[in-house]
Amino acid sequence: MSELKVRCFAVSLDGYGAGPNQSLENPMGDGGGGLHTWFRGTRTFQRMIGNPSQGTDGPDEQFAARGFDNIGAWILGRNMFGPVRGAWPDDEWKGWWGDEPPYHVPVFVLTHHAREPLVMAGGTTFYFVTDGIQSAYDQAIKAANGKDVRLGGGVETIRQLLQAGLVDELHMAISPVLLGSGESLLEGLDMPALGFRCTEHVPTEAATHVVLRKD
């Protein structure tokens, strides 16, 4: 049975999934780039950027690889697709990853502004969903065809789907950095009341991996 899973989502020690002052040049905000140090060193990430013989093994790599295991579709907030705000001025922006994104499955992008589906190399098609999170969830579950759906963020998108009771699993990679401000992932959310408990807790030099699952 398909589940909705947040995987490999990096947060700071003080609970922020992105820093302040996000922009096209600085998409993770001030200091936010340090959240992903653990991921950039893994074999999984190095393969994604064309370096198949590089990268580390160990728990960080294991969690990174799990992030793509058995995934049949993705859901993304609009900021995770690109920096464009408001109505789409044109179809020029095609995502952060170039002509062949690393998804290789259907991706459902939450937005208030309609846009035609965008077919990319490698099996990725972006669908732009304008009628809310439940619609995006339903479409992604159907497209996944029995596999899981990965929820890629950003922070506000994850919070909305958590509050709606649609997330089955949340993997946080807690990076040893302090941001001081930004977008808080769990502030104000009663995770036990939402049905979650900690099922894994694995520290490495680069991050502490915490998995929460819904009972």
Side-chain angles (χ1 to χ4, degrees), residues 94 97-105 107 118-126:
K94 293 179 170 58
W97 289 93
D99 293 334
E100 187 170 351
Y103 306 107
H104 308 299
V105 293
V107 179
L118 177 59
V119 180
M120 306 291 286
T124 299
T125 298
F126 293 107

Side-chain angles (χ1 to χ4, degrees), residues 14-177:
D14 44 355
Y16 296 103
N21 303 315
Q22 297 175 57
S23 67
L24 174 60
E25 297 76 19
N26 189 24
M28 292 302 301
D30 295 344
L35 298 177
H36 301 281
T37 300
W38 76 272
F39 183 64
R40 287 193 291 268
T42 64
R43 289 185 180 275
T44 293
F45 178 75
Q46 291 300 315
R47 282 195 299 270
M48 288 167 60
I49 62 173
N51 300 319
S53 63
Q54 299 182 24
T56 60
D57 291 313
D60 289 329
E61 164 58 20
Q62 293 166 14
F63 276 102
R66 278 171 56 178
F68 294 89
D69 184 44
N70 195 44
I71 299 299
W74 285 63
I75 296 174
L76 300 179
R78 179 165 171 173
N79 291 359
M80 295 293 291
F81 174 74
V84 181
R85 301 294 182 268
W88 303 100
D90 51 47
D91 293 334
E92 181 177 349
W93 181 264
K94 293 179 170 58
W96 297 105
W97 289 93
D99 293 334
E100 187 170 351
Y103 306 107
H104 308 299
V105 293
V107 179
F108 296 86
V109 180
L110 289 158
T111 176
H112 295 295
H113 302 276
R115 180 173 172 177
E116 290 298 311
L118 177 59
V119 180
M120 306 291 286
T124 299
T125 298
F126 293 107
Y127 296 93
F128 300 91
V129 181
T130 59
D131 50 350
I133 60 173
Q134 185 66 54
S135 175
Y137 174 83
D138 292 341
Q139 292 182 61
I141 290 291
K142 182 178 180 180
N145 195 30
K147 293 186 177 182
D148 293 326
V149 176
R150 179 167 167 176
L151 175 55
V155 172
E156 185 56 33
T157 298
I158 293 174
R159 289 175 59 85
Q160 289 182 33
L161 279 112
L162 282 169
Q163 290 172 308
L166 298 175
V167 177
D168 297 289
E169 182 177 288
L170 170 62
H171 163 221
M172 295 176 289
I174 303 172
S175 299
V177 298

Side-chain angles (χ1 to χ4, degrees), residues 143-214:
N145 195 30
K147 293 186 177 182
D148 293 326
V149 176
R150 179 167 167 176
L151 175 55
V155 172
E156 185 56 33
T157 298
I158 293 174
R159 289 175 59 85
Q160 289 182 33
L161 279 112
L162 282 169
Q163 290 172 308
L166 298 175
V167 177
D168 297 289
E169 182 177 288
L170 170 62
H171 163 221
M172 295 176 289
I174 303 172
S175 299
V177 298
L178 294 168
L179 295 183
S181 64
E183 296 187 63
S184 177
L185 180 62
L186 299 181
E187 182 178 5
L189 297 182
D190 188 338
M191 297 300 283
L194 289 171
F196 287 92
R197 61 185 179 87
C198 182
T199 58
E200 294 180 71
H201 178 263
V202 181
T204 72
E205 290 187 7
T208 298
H209 297 277
V210 176
V211 178
L212 306 180
R213 278 199 57 85
K214 188 180 292 185

